[in-house]
């Protein structure tokens, strides 16, 4: 939820990290918190992240640029950053970035008022101080909700964890022999983890352009068009 979307009005009691709440109660209290307050509900527990670091945003912005470039050449998909996403009755989160198939093309998400409801097909989180959360309760929440691919870009030490949904569970998959990750949900989304972590934007886009020129991507675009 964008902090600028929330009106300034008091509600008692305010959100406190570690509280156990249902999602409607969390949402009501969060909307009433002062601008600048950040909070998420994960598995029914309130989390209030620390201020966002420079290193976090460097990786986050690189991921957004890549996903946005993929969106440009893939009608029927949409990239969104930091949007409030109501996964289910226990979790309301703000992914650092997500890529979704639009509802009219058969996607899993839908409009929930000003926000997003349902499980995005692909979610990206950048983990520094939130490493334990992103690879623990948040991973479980995304898995339970039905997210199909979940990427966690790590800092100190750098690394990229790419999880794919198989049999209802996330499985961490390694890059291919050429060092690239290739999305199973979004054909043509090719990602070099080393270039992402190093914020090599030119290299990231050059590699993605190869994926966008692949027959698999062309077939995916045709399939999305046919589902409208």
């Amino acid at each position: 939820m964008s902090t600028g979307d929330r009106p300034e009005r008091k509600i008692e009691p305010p959100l406190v990290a570690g509280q156990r709440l249902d999602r409607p109660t969390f949402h009501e209290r969060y909307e009433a918190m002062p601008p600048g307050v950040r909070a998420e509900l994960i598995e029914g527990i309130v989390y209030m992240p620390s201020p966002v670091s420079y290193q976090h945003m460097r990786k986050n912005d690189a991921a957004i640029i890549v996903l946005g470039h993929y969106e440009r050449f893939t009608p029927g998909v949409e990239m969104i950053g930091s949007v409030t996403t109501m996964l289910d009755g226990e979790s309301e989160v703000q992914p650092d970035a997500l890529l979704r198939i639009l509802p009219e093309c058969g996607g899993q998400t839908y409009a929930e008022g000003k926000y997003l409801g349902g499980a995005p097909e692909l979610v990206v989180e950048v983990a520094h101080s939130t490493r334990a959360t992103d690879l623990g309760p948040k991973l479980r929440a995304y898995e339970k909700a039905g997210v199909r691919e979940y990427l966690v870009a790590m800092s100190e030490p750098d690394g990229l964890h790419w999880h794919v949904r198989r049999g209802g569970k996330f499985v961490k998959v390694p890059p291919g022999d050429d060092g690239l990750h290739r999305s199973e949900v979004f054909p043509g989304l090719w990602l070099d983890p080393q270039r992402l972590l190093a914020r090599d934007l030119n290299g990231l886009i050059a590699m993605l352009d190869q994926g966008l020129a692949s027959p698999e991507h062309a077939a995916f675009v045709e399939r999305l068009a046919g589902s409208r």
Side-chain angles (χ1 to χ4, degrees):
M1 180 185 302
S2 169
T3 56
D5 289 342
R6 297 201 301 274
E8 289 194 62
R9 59 184 177 88
K10 292 185 178 181
I11 189 169
E12 296 295 342
L15 288 177
V16 176
Q19 284 179 313
R20 182 170 289 277
L21 299 173
D22 58 48
R23 196 189 58 72
T25 302
F26 167 82
H27 187 79
E28 179 186 20
R29 293 184 185 179
Y30 189 26
E31 287 220 304
M33 295 293 283
V37 173
R38 300 173 61 239
E40 295 181 294
L41 186 72
I42 306 172
E43 297 186 314
I45 297 174
V46 176
Y47 289 77
M48 303 185 78
S50 59
V52 179
S53 71
Y54 167 72
Q55 289 298 329
H56 178 108
M57 289 310 302
R58 289 188 81 248
K59 292 181 175 65
N60 188 55
D61 287 353
I64 285 176
I65 288 169
V66 169
L67 298 185
H69 190 73
Y70 184 85
E71 177 191 348
R72 287 182 58 207
F73 297 96
T74 316
V77 308
E78 182 178 52
M79 184 283 298
I80 314 177
S82 298
V83 64
T84 288
T85 305
M86 301 175 183
L87 294 175
D88 53 29
E90 291 187 321
S91 298
E92 181 173 321
V93 295
Q94 294 174 261
D96 287 321
L98 63 85
L99 193 64
R100 69 174 186 142
I101 299 173
L102 295 176
E104 59 267 30
C105 294
Q108 301 182 152
T109 54
Y110 50 87
E112 184 73 38
K114 298 184 295 182
Y115 310 113
L116 199 64
E121 280 73 22
L122 182 148
V123 169
V124 179
E125 296 283 6
V126 177
H128 182 59
S129 61
T130 60
R131 177 189 304 257
T133 302
D134 292 333
L135 291 176
K138 190 171 275 190
L139 182 148
R140 293 193 302 269
Y142 286 139
E143 181 181 75
K144 177 185 174 186
V147 170
R148 297 175 63 188
E149 290 187 296
Y150 178 43
L151 287 61
V152 182
M154 314 288 288
S155 297
E156 298 181 2
D158 284 346
L160 180 68
H161 293 209
W162 190 302
H163 304 86
V164 175
R165 187 177 192 82
R166 292 180 181 157
K169 295 290 185 180
F170 279 144
V171 175
K172 183 182 172 184
V173 296
D177 292 340
D178 57 1
L180 299 181
H181 281 289
R182 290 174 171 82
S183 172
E184 296 183 9
V185 179
F186 294 95
L189 180 57
W190 296 4
L191 183 63
D192 184 326
Q194 298 308 313
R195 286 190 169 102
L196 176 69
L197 297 169
R199 207 171 188 268
D200 176 4
L201 301 181
N202 291 333
L204 283 168
I205 296 302
M207 189 57 60
L208 178 54
D209 282 341
Q210 294 184 38
L212 293 170
S214 67
E216 294 79 12
H217 180 258
F220 182 53
V221 170
E222 184 176 352
R223 189 163 70 249
L224 289 172
S227 64
R228 288 180 181 269

